[in-house]
Amino acid sequence: MKNPARNTTRKNLVQAGILASAVLLAGSATAQQKISDDVVKIGVLTDMSGAYSDFTGTGAVTAAKMAVEDFSKNGMVLGKKIEVVYSDHQNKPDIGASRARQWFDQEQVDVIVELVTTNVALAVMDVAEQKKKIVLISGAASLPITNERCNANTVHWVYDSYGLASGTAKAIVQSGKKNWYFIATDYAAGVAMTNSASQVVVANGGKVVGVTKHPFPASDFSSFLLTAQASKADVIALANGGQDTILAIKQAAEYGISKTQSIVPIVLFINDVHAMGLKVAQGLTLTESFYWNRDEKSRAWSRRFFEKSKKMPSMAQAGVYSSVLNYLHAVANTGTDDMATVMKYLKSTPIDDGLFKGSIRADGKFAHEMLLLEVKKPSESTEPWDYYHVRKVIPTADAALPLSESKCKLVQL
């Protein structure tokens, strides 16, 4: 004989299951409806052919696509397609801003990533603020991005001039090399790096004896180096990047300047070391936020990147991967690609993706550890791209400008 109570219970459970499924489906449909234009589109805007293309360029596009693959094997989020597009801003702010405007207005791009070259990054940030879109910066160095020029749409993901100076400049001054001469690129990043490093030098008992600016890009550093040599400074600091930094270091070695004065790059990428070779680069002190050979997680990801790019990733390229991956998680977990909602999630959720670990502050700075590195001698390298000694891990608290000193309008103390 059938048990009416048991049948009633079974019927109620079935109905509850149907109701729960309906709620989940409805929720999924609601989430899907919140994806604008039925696609999540990521734009990689970078230097594809100029002075910075080796440590950004096509490798940045590869990193973005790897992030999409690792997030979703079918290239979907919330049932909608993820698309990666890319373009060359040629290190020109007007081209960068024009491309950003076209992407936002006509091609429904939701987020722009990478943005090496400070002047380009600042220009694109302004467009994104007007259009209520998101910018995640990996390649540009300037502190004003999250300081006096900050906005609610931007995250500075990898490094800035404060973090670089708090590592390299502090270590060099504390080693006893007090008098500094700067050779700086004549645009915003050069100014920011010079200012940040100068403040660290003076704060630690050093002195800035001179600054010379050079055009970007430069074809010859002879006159700048000879002027710096004549200053008798302990340190000739290079506040530039990419091919400019490589050329300056090579010429300093050719003239024998690096035998009597320390050449100190404020920013240097592993690709730059690879281009120079260890014979020229050995002994250089630098600060980075990522090194492929640091631990098992960084090695595993970097070797996958190498299979695709035939070179190890720079910190900027690693930053593109991290920023895209975490952006997609934010979209998935909030159920929308709405700018304000995604940014709120990013700024309230700790990040630990195997490459970077930290949190995004109110000013848009992704605060995380930095690494003080020394370039190995050729005899110390055990395999290709094994270029660095990790001399110190710089704590997060020391690697980012204290919020108490911030000029960002978003910071409320």
Side-chain angles (χ1 to χ4, degrees), residues 292-370:
W292 78 268
N293 207 14
R294 182 185 182 187
D295 56 37
E296 286 304 319
K297 288 182 179 180
S298 61
R299 280 189 286 272
W301 180 81
S302 297
R303 285 180 174 134
R304 289 173 51 217
F305 180 93
F306 185 88
E307 290 176 1
K308 298 174 181 293
S309 299
K310 307 309 175 188
K311 60 183 179 181
M312 285 300 179
S314 70
M315 62 175 168
Q317 291 159 345
V320 170
Y321 173 88
S322 174
S323 63
V324 171
L325 185 65
N326 284 283
Y327 170 79
L328 291 173
H329 279 300
V331 171
N333 288 325
T334 59
T336 181
D337 59 3
D338 171 70
M339 184 278 295
T341 305
V342 170
M343 287 297 293
K344 182 178 180 180
Y345 180 91
L346 286 172
K347 287 186 175 182
S348 62
T349 306
I351 291 170
D352 185 1
D353 54 30
L355 305 187
F356 297 88
K357 182 178 181 179
S359 58
I360 299 171
R361 309 189 311 182
D363 59 354
K365 169 65 179 174
F366 178 23
H368 49 70
E369 296 175 340
M370 301 286 284

Side-chain angles (χ1 to χ4, degrees), residues 40-44 60-77 80-85 111 113 301 304 320-329:
V40 174
K41 190 174 288 189
I42 299 160
V44 183
V61 179
T62 297
K65 291 181 177 179
M66 286 178 66
V68 174
E69 292 169 4
D70 288 352
F71 173 79
S72 171
K73 297 304 179 185
N74 64 0
M76 308 278 279
V77 58
K80 302 298 181 181
K81 181 183 177 183
I82 305 166
E83 184 177 348
V84 175
V85 296
V111 57
V113 302
W301 180 81
R304 289 173 51 217
V320 170
Y321 173 88
S322 174
S323 63
V324 171
L325 185 65
N326 284 283
Y327 170 79
L328 291 173
H329 279 300

